[in-house]
Amino acid sequence: MTDDRKTIVPVWTLATGDVQVPVLTGDEPMTSERLAELRGVLAVLADEPIATLEAHPLPDTIDRGRGIPLDAASPLAQHLSQLITQTAQGSSAAAKATASGEGLYRMVIPAKVVAQVAQGVVRPMAVKGANGEVYSALVNSKGRIVDQARLVPVGQVAAAGAAGGAGATAGVAVAGSAALTVAAPLVLMAVAVGVSAHADRRRQQAIERITELLEQLQDDNLKAERRDLDGCRFAIDKATAILLDQGKLGVSLGLDSAAHAIGKALIDAADRLAGWQDALDELPDGKAVEIATLAKSFPGIDDHGGTFRTHLEIAALAIALHRRVIVLQAVEHAQSDPDNLFENFTRELKRDQQRLDELESGIAGVLVRLSALELARPRGRRPVFTSSEVEHLMRVAHRIRQLGDGVTATRRSTDVAIEIARDTDGSVTVFPALPV
């Protein structure tokens, strides 16, 4: 990948365990396309998850409010600092790129690994009011994505062992293999924080939409649901900060109460989903449906806001919050067994993913079915409708068709990028994980 200044960017190949693969890289610069090909090949050939880490210049302006900040003493920041220090001694490209102490580090996890680690977790998040754009921290001073740097492989080195007790699996790759840095703790913490940041961003977006919808509704029950769910954020934020700083969770945090409230919201969402599916099943096949008939099972579907749309956003909020809880559980279990970091981490991430994926898939199916419905003209004695009635029918039809626009068309895994801004004092900000 190159920025406007044609910067030479060092790139590390990170493994999460001792692996041996053929030497696929030399010392010469390569393109981002070539690096993507190599990532795919390494993911196929290696038994352990393999990622790449690029060191880019820090953009002039960057929205740190989208990420999760960690101080220099946190395990992730320490692992990154140790990697930089040790590789700078044997690589002029790494030494030059990291000399200032600050930079934007971009870790890319191959699709094969994403399927193991975060399937269903990471999805594109459209910028509000924009068409098809996604959030990205890797931009230059003009706001354009930095995607043309000349990538230089960093030679084989050993990542330092477990800083702060984060894990002891770091070491040198098997002799004769490709230039792999064994850095399970660094990869694990980057994935954990990036996925958590992504889920929290989805929570923020859901809260914004719910607040906007509730302004049009006078429904105390829905407002209470929103308050109960958003109130869970404080316990989750505290638990996230403690775990990512290598602390231990306690009952006083209130995470158990938060998980209970989220669980109740997920049950409500599943019940509502079943009702929506039953209502669609009862509609006559191949026949147009009146708006009034739809509104009985999907209240407010004929309006800009409505109870149905609020239920959708509350479900999205509950799912986003539970995604963060799952990551917390995974990190806690992985840190409890430092000799088996990545296996524990992936196993815990998978535990509850299937149920959440099925819920999201069911809601997406309802939206797609609704968007495909043909609306019938309302029944009445008058043979001719007024212009306002015709306009209302057209507006409702347009809104219902739009329900399927935001549905993910495929569940195929893609490479995932996690961007980490590092300051001169060693502190870092990890941005939401994004599909590449």
Side-chain angles (χ1 to χ4, degrees), residues 262-278 311 315 318-319 355 358-360 362-363 366:
I262 295 169
K264 288 173 57 180
L266 290 174
I267 291 174
D268 289 340
D271 289 343
R272 287 164 180 161
L273 172 60
W276 298 334
Q277 291 171 330
D278 289 343
H311 284 164
I319 290 171
R355 185 162 61 95
E358 288 175 354
L359 180 59
E360 279 193 321
I363 292 173
V366 166

Side-chain angles (χ1 to χ4, degrees), residues 107-433:
M107 183 180 293
V108 179
I109 315 293
K112 175 185 176 182
V113 180
V114 175
Q116 298 172 343
V117 175
Q119 185 173 7
V121 176
V122 179
R123 297 218 172 89
M125 295 183 297
V127 179
K128 187 175 182 180
N131 295 322
E133 299 178 33
V134 295
Y135 291 102
S136 177
L138 200 56
V139 294
N140 59 20
S141 58
K142 298 179 182 179
R144 293 198 298 269
I145 295 177
V146 178
D147 61 355
Q148 299 177 349
R150 294 167 59 201
L151 298 158
V152 179
V154 176
Q156 177 175 311
V157 295
T169 60
V172 183
V174 177
S177 67
L180 299 180
T181 300
V182 183
L186 176 59
V187 177
L188 179 148
M189 297 304 290
V191 172
V193 187
V195 170
S196 184
H198 180 91
D200 191 57
R201 188 63 182 174
R202 291 177 69 89
R203 179 199 64 80
Q204 294 176 31
Q205 292 175 325
I207 281 293
E208 291 173 2
R209 290 190 290 262
I210 292 171
T211 301
E212 182 180 342
L213 291 169
L214 287 178
E215 289 176 355
Q216 306 168 35
L217 292 172
Q218 299 299 320
D219 192 319
D220 292 336
N221 290 331
L222 289 178
K223 291 178 181 178
E225 285 189 46
R226 189 276 309 269
R227 285 194 300 270
D228 290 344
L229 275 178
D230 199 34
C232 299
R233 172 175 58 94
F234 302 107
I236 293 175
D237 286 348
K238 291 175 185 175
T240 301
I242 289 174
L243 273 181
L244 296 181
D245 284 338
Q246 203 66 35
K248 298 293 184 181
L249 297 182
V251 179
S252 61
L253 286 176
L255 189 60
D256 289 346
S257 299
H260 178 67
I262 295 169
K264 288 173 57 180
L266 290 174
I267 291 174
D268 289 340
D271 289 343
R272 287 164 180 161
L273 172 60
W276 298 334
Q277 291 171 330
D278 289 343
L280 287 171
D281 290 341
E282 291 174 0
L283 295 177
D285 293 335
K287 294 185 179 180
V289 182
E290 289 190 31
I291 296 174
T293 301
L294 274 184
K296 290 178 182 178
S297 301
F298 305 92
I301 195 172
D302 56 339
D303 202 353
H304 178 67
T307 302
F308 171 62
R309 294 170 195 269
T310 307
H311 284 164
L312 289 175
E313 296 301 337
I314 288 177
L317 174 58
I319 290 171
L321 288 169
H322 197 56
R323 297 282 192 204
R324 290 197 68 187
V325 171
I326 291 173
V327 174
L328 289 176
Q329 293 170 338
V331 173
E332 184 178 23
H333 282 75
Q335 290 181 348
S336 68
D337 186 1
D339 293 327
N340 190 20
L341 274 177
F342 220 83
E343 288 80 0
N344 259 342
F345 183 70
T346 54
R347 181 168 59 250
E348 290 303 319
L349 270 179
K350 288 179 179 179
R351 280 180 54 190
D352 290 337
Q353 293 299 347
Q354 185 175 358
R355 185 162 61 95
L356 289 183
D357 290 345
E358 288 175 354
L359 180 59
E360 279 193 321
S361 178
I363 292 173
V366 166
L367 296 179
V368 170
R369 291 175 68 181
L370 282 171
S371 66
L373 290 177
E374 178 185 355
L375 294 184
R377 296 171 55 182
R379 298 177 184 177
R381 297 181 178 179
R382 293 177 300 165
V384 179
F385 294 96
T386 65
S387 59
S388 61
E389 289 173 328
V390 173
E391 290 175 1
H392 175 68
L393 180 62
M394 293 178 65
R395 282 198 304 270
V396 174
H398 179 66
R399 289 192 187 113
I400 291 178
R401 281 198 299 272
Q402 284 184 317
L403 289 173
D405 290 349
V407 175
T408 304
T410 178
R411 303 190 69 81
R412 181 178 59 86
S413 296
T414 63
D415 291 359
V416 167
I418 300 167
E419 291 164 1
I420 306 169
R422 184 177 188 266
D423 292 319
T424 53
D425 63 358
S427 62
V428 297
T429 301
V430 184
F431 296 94

